[in-house]
Amino acid sequence: MGLFRKKLKQEHKVMLQAERAGGALLPEYHRATEECPHPERWHMYDSMTAEAEVLEFIQTLVTTIKPEMVVETGSFLGASTLWIAKGLKANGFGKVVSCEFDPVVFAKAKERIEASGLKEWIELRNESSLEMKIEGTIDLFFSDSDTPIRASEIRRFLPQISSNGVILIHDASSHMKVVRQAAFELEAEGLLSCVFLPTPRGLVVAQKREGRR
Ligand SMILES: C[S@@+](CC[C@H](N)C(=O)[O-])C[C@H]1O[C@@H](n2cnc3c(N)ncnc32)[C@H](O)[C@@H]1O
């Protein structure tokens, strides 16, 4: 039976692990990189949810730049969505639209968000970032979906991102080459200016170049 059992999708496996861990913080266990030689100094809930310190950073960024519209790609279990929503609640305005492609993961995220008391700040969508439609201007864009499509989703939303806005690109460590490379390419094309924060999984803080004054 074991031999023929369908392999669990990584997202579903981590979802079950996260449920079992019950919200406990662990030392970050992604491998050390040249830019982040001590990942164990950071904390994590699970290997899909952004590092705990990155979640705090995003919340602080929300209270710092006071966005009207936040877009997140890749909700997973809604942890980062909820940290963004906490920032919006502190601001007293704004909303976050977050999309999750996987219907099973989406259902779990929806459940958590419904129970959080922060639902009014969040619009959760079960769709792909490559199909999602957003009305108006985006002030904060958090790219955290499937790594190979990050460049495409950023290019897709770039025209709608405010030139005063901020773009966050997660998983841009030198270990996760594909996202780092995508950020280098967007920068080389003159589309973005990037700062590479040396967290265990890597976080790019970027701004679009077009329209800067
Ligand atoms: C790294 S996890 C997101 C973690 C979450 N932002 C957090 O920090 O709490 C990536 C998620 O993106 C989802 N995903 C993959 N491709 C997607 C797509 N094209 N559009 C939206 N979500 C996608 C995966 O199912 C997975 O749940």
Side-chain angles (χ1 to χ4, degrees):
M1 143 100 183
L3 261 182
F4 299 106
R5 205 169 53 195
K6 209 170 145 232
K7 197 168 164 271
L8 261 189
K9 205 177 156 193
Q10 183 65 7
E11 280 83 353
H12 296 179
K13 207 158 91 185
V14 179
M15 189 172 89
L16 295 174
Q17 285 166 355
E19 252 167 47
R20 261 180 255 129
L25 269 182
L26 310 165
E28 173 68 45
Y29 62 59
H30 280 76
R31 74 165 73 151
T33 54
E34 197 186 328
E35 71 276 8
C36 185
H38 294 289
E40 73 285 354
R41 292 176 181 169
W42 279 255
H43 302 85
M44 62 185 247
Y45 294 100
D46 59 69
S47 60
M48 284 265 160
T49 300
E51 303 91 314
E53 290 79 358
V54 167
L55 296 172
E56 287 170 17
F57 175 78
I58 297 175
Q59 184 188 353
T60 303
L61 188 63
V62 169
T63 54
T64 303
I65 69 169
K66 311 232 183 278
E68 301 263 359
M69 168 64 88
V70 184
V71 171
E72 172 184 61
T73 68
S75 326
F76 190 51
L77 301 178
S80 50
T81 321
L82 288 170
W83 281 82
I84 292 167
K86 275 197 264 177
L88 295 174
K89 185 179 177 186
N91 290 345
F93 62 90
K95 80 167 172 179
V96 53
V97 179
S98 180
C99 64
E100 171 53 54
F101 185 60
D102 183 304
V104 177
V105 176
F106 169 80
K108 204 25 117 198
K110 191 159 176 265
E111 216 176 85
R112 274 181 101 180
I113 286 168
E114 304 261 338
S116 69
L118 291 164
K119 193 173 164 253
E120 65 184 285
W121 308 97
I122 301 170
E123 192 179 319
L124 193 68
R125 299 197 192 162
N126 183 201
E127 60 187 352
S128 167
S129 59
L130 299 178
E131 276 153 27
M132 173 165 73
K133 289 200 173 59
I134 298 288
E135 291 282 318
T137 303
I138 301 166
D139 305 301
L140 176 59
F141 185 80
F142 179 35
S143 173
D144 200 17
S145 65
D146 204 13
T147 52
I149 65 157
R150 300 299 188 79
S152 312
E153 70 183 22
I154 293 164
R155 284 180 201 279
R156 185 167 181 267
F157 285 105
L158 204 56
Q160 276 182 273
I161 298 175
S162 162
S163 45
N164 296 312
V166 173
I167 300 165
L168 297 176
I169 313 170
H170 195 227
D171 302 315
S173 74
S174 59
H175 168 51
M176 314 239 219
K177 288 195 178 57
V178 58
V179 180
R180 198 172 181 86
Q181 198 52 42
F184 284 146
E185 280 168 22
L186 291 163
E187 199 176 43
E189 283 176 45
L191 295 173
L192 298 184
S193 288
C194 296
V195 174
F196 292 77
L197 298 187
T199 76
R201 298 181 228 167
L203 182 69
V204 168
V205 180
Q207 204 159 39
K208 89 173 189 187
R209 292 186 66 92
E210 194 190 332
R212 283 202 318 192
R213 273 180 264 283

